[in-house]
């Protein structure tokens, strides 16, 4: 168990409001990831981090920003939420188990009305 | 970057049948490939990981294979059970830093 928690688990917000999702891990893993999952699209990478203050964009980063000021926390911010950002958001960490693998958090269901 | 495809999108089989799920990827310079299971409304649970140097991995009734030259991985489930009903996703990585997911196969095992 990589000890990943996500908060909140569910959120409903209005179009145009900023939203921040939190991913917290307890085992000092260097790499952390934010994905979104939508029907027909699988999981798509939004942003990832390879250390404190070190982040990079994924394939669907527009409208999202991230921050990592501590190893254990990776924050995803929707600067001005839109209905197209209604989705399930998953955080993951990368860990070594003879090869680099991913372990996922429980997800956050976000609805933008 | 990898383009990962999973066909079919949905599969329905009677209980007890052996079945194969397919995962195709475009870049044979693969680092590893990981299979996940996802139950409705839940997160992803890792099932098996195959490193580029391996041909297959087994866990219980599950067997995953990797053929880099053809860009294919298969997940074989023996003696399927209703509890195996879920969506199965594969993820390929070239470097171990980024992971590219297929859209999944939704499996229903009919009692």
């Amino acid at each position: 168990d990589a000890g990943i928690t996500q908060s909140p688990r569910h959120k409903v917000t209005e179009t145009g409001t900023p939203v921040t999702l939190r991913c917290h891990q307890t085992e000092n893993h260097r790499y952390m990831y934010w994905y979104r999952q939508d029907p027909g699209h699988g999981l798509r990478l939004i942003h990832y981090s390879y250390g404190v203050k070190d982040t990079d964009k994924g394939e669907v980063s527009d409208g999202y920003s991230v921050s990592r000021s501590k190893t254990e926390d990776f924050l995803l911010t929707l600067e001005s939420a839109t209905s197209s950002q209604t989705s399930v958001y998953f955080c993951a960490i990368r860990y070594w188990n003879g090869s680099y693998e991913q372990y996922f958090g429980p997800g956050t269901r976000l609805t933008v009305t | 970057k990898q383009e990962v495809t999973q066909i079919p999108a949905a599969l329905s089989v009677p209980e007890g049948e052996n079945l194969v799920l397919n995962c195709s990827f475009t870049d044979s310079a693969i680092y590893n490939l990981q299979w996940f299971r996802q139950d409705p409304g839940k997160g992803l649970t890792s099932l098996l990981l195959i490193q580029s140097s391996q041909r297959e991995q087994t866990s219980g009734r599950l067997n995953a294979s990797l053929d880099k030259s053809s860009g294919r991985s298969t997940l074989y489930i023996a003696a399927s059970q209703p509890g195996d009903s879920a969506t199965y996703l594969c993820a390929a990585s070239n470097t171990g830093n980024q992971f590219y997911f297929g859209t999944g196969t939704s499996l229903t095992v009919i009692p």
Side-chain angles (χ1 to χ4, degrees):
Chain A
D1 185 352
I4 303 175
T5 57
Q6 293 185 232
S7 58
R9 294 292 315 280
H10 302 273
K11 186 170 182 67
V12 180
T13 192
E14 293 184 350
T15 298
T17 60
V19 176
T20 295
L21 308 183
R22 179 181 184 240
C23 179
H24 179 78
Q25 55 133 337
T26 59
E27 297 187 354
N28 292 319
H29 295 289
R30 183 178 163 206
Y31 275 72
M32 298 182 74
Y33 304 80
W34 276 109
Y35 293 90
R36 61 178 288 174
Q37 185 175 36
D38 305 288
H41 290 279
L43 272 79
R44 293 181 290 175
L45 181 65
I46 305 171
H47 283 277
Y48 69 101
S49 169
Y50 47 96
V52 173
K53 293 186 169 60
D54 292 322
T55 64
D56 206 349
K57 296 179 180 180
E59 64 178 307
V60 290
S61 59
D62 287 348
Y64 302 94
S65 62
V66 290
S67 65
R68 193 165 178 203
S69 59
K70 299 184 291 184
T71 299
E72 59 265 36
D73 290 324
F74 191 31
L75 304 181
L76 176 71
T77 297
L78 287 64
E79 294 138 9
S80 177
T82 68
S83 58
S84 65
Q85 294 176 311
T86 293
S87 186
V88 180
Y89 292 86
F90 286 101
C91 173
I93 56 92
R94 186 193 77 167
Y95 69 101
W96 177 258
N97 186 27
S99 185
Y100 285 119
E101 302 185 29
Q102 288 201 305
Y103 182 88
F104 281 79
T108 294
R109 183 172 296 275
L110 176 68
T111 302
V112 183
T113 61
Chain B
K1 180 186 173 182
Q2 290 277 8
E3 301 287 340
V4 181
T5 304
Q6 292 184 252
I7 296 173
L11 181 64
S12 184
V13 301
E15 181 178 2
E17 189 164 296
N18 302 327
L19 61 101
V20 173
L21 305 179
N22 297 300
C23 174
S24 299
F25 50 92
T26 54
D27 189 344
S28 61
I30 191 169
Y31 170 76
N32 66 25
L33 190 137
Q34 194 169 0
W35 282 93
F36 295 88
R37 168 186 173 136
Q38 185 176 31
D39 293 294
K42 303 294 186 183
L44 280 72
T45 301
S46 180
L47 296 173
L48 288 165
L49 179 138
I50 311 176
Q51 299 179 45
S52 62
S53 59
Q54 298 172 324
R55 293 297 301 272
E56 63 179 46
Q57 282 284 343
T58 298
S59 176
R61 294 182 295 108
L62 306 180
N63 176 277
S65 68
L66 178 66
D67 184 340
K68 293 186 292 183
S69 62
S70 67
R72 286 189 62 200
S73 176
T74 61
L75 180 67
Y76 173 84
I77 302 177
S80 59
Q81 304 170 357
D84 295 329
S85 298
T87 296
Y88 292 81
L89 297 108
C90 64
S93 180
N94 287 3
T95 62
N97 296 337
Q98 289 194 50
F99 302 80
Y100 300 94
F101 283 81
T103 51
T105 294
S106 176
L107 173 66
T108 301
V109 181
I110 303 167

